[in-house]
Amino acid sequence: EGARRAELLSMWRLYCLFTVFEGLWQSIVPITTAVMFAAYSLLNPDKPLTAAQAFTAMSLLQMVQEPLFTIPWVMNLIIEALVAGKRMERLFFLTESTLPALAPIGTFGADSGTDGTEQSSDSGITFDPAEQVATSTAIEFSGASFVWPDVAQDRRENGDEEDGEDGSG
């Protein structure tokens, strides 16, 4: 009960903060317009602001609003991409390690001996691939091959040949 109240209180505060930020976000253009018109009036007291100038300025600010507001969003996406790239780079350049429970399986980074066995430089455990296959393999293939079927050939053999995809016969 107490944890739920704390959660609801924190969510209420977060949504209030979001509301304040949204209000500030939406008021940027009107505040900018008011500041711009006030600065124009103060800097040019002998030239009054005409309706054509005011409406043109407001129209231009509205046109610029969306591109300006997308800049922080795009910057956030760029930063997220850079962080993800660095994380992936660190992952790809990790040294290979063998977990103790998986030591008999061996690693891709193990040193191959002259007799076909591999010795892991980490643990000193010798791994013989032939012995591993002979003792603990659940499925074994001998002289097997795997090919993708030719779909067009299968259609011709089954009599499913239809007009071409583009409608030509």
Side-chain angles (χ1 to χ4, degrees):
E1 182 75 25
R4 179 68 178 150
R5 271 198 204 127
E7 179 187 13
L8 288 175
L9 180 62
S10 65
M11 288 177 66
W12 170 255
R13 288 179 181 160
L14 180 67
Y15 290 136
C16 287
L17 184 65
F18 284 163
T19 303
V20 169
F21 283 151
E22 184 67 26
L24 287 173
W25 189 260
Q26 294 299 324
S27 65
I28 287 177
V29 171
I31 290 173
T32 305
T33 305
V35 168
M36 186 176 63
F37 290 158
Y40 180 85
S41 298
L42 290 174
L43 294 174
N44 298 313
D46 54 334
K47 294 182 182 177
L49 187 64
T50 63
Q53 291 172 329
F55 286 118
T56 302
M58 288 175 56
S59 174
L60 289 174
L61 285 173
Q62 288 294 331
M63 286 175 32
V64 173
Q65 179 182 5
E66 187 177 344
L68 282 178
F69 287 168
T70 58
I71 290 173
W73 177 68
V74 170
M75 294 300 292
N76 189 32
L77 290 177
I78 290 171
I79 290 170
E80 287 177 4
L82 289 173
V83 168
K86 287 180 182 179
R87 287 180 181 169
M88 287 174 35
E89 183 178 353
R90 282 197 317 251
L91 174 70
F92 291 145
F93 288 117
L94 282 175
T95 58
E96 187 165 343
S97 61
T98 304
L99 297 174
L102 302 176
I105 296 174
T107 67
F108 291 114
D111 301 326
S112 293
T114 56
D115 59 350
T117 62
E118 297 178 0
Q119 181 160 355
S120 173
S121 58
D122 296 344
S123 61
I125 296 173
T126 302
F127 170 64
D128 185 2
E131 178 185 344
Q132 183 71 20
V133 168
T135 59
S136 66
T137 303
I139 299 174
E140 182 176 337
F141 295 98
S142 179
S145 64
F146 180 81
V147 295
W148 293 106
D150 183 8
V151 176
Q153 180 66 27
D154 288 345
R155 284 185 181 167
R156 284 190 291 270
E157 290 173 0
N158 293 334
D160 294 342
E161 186 74 24
E162 295 180 12
D163 290 343
E165 294 286 329
D166 59 354
S168 62

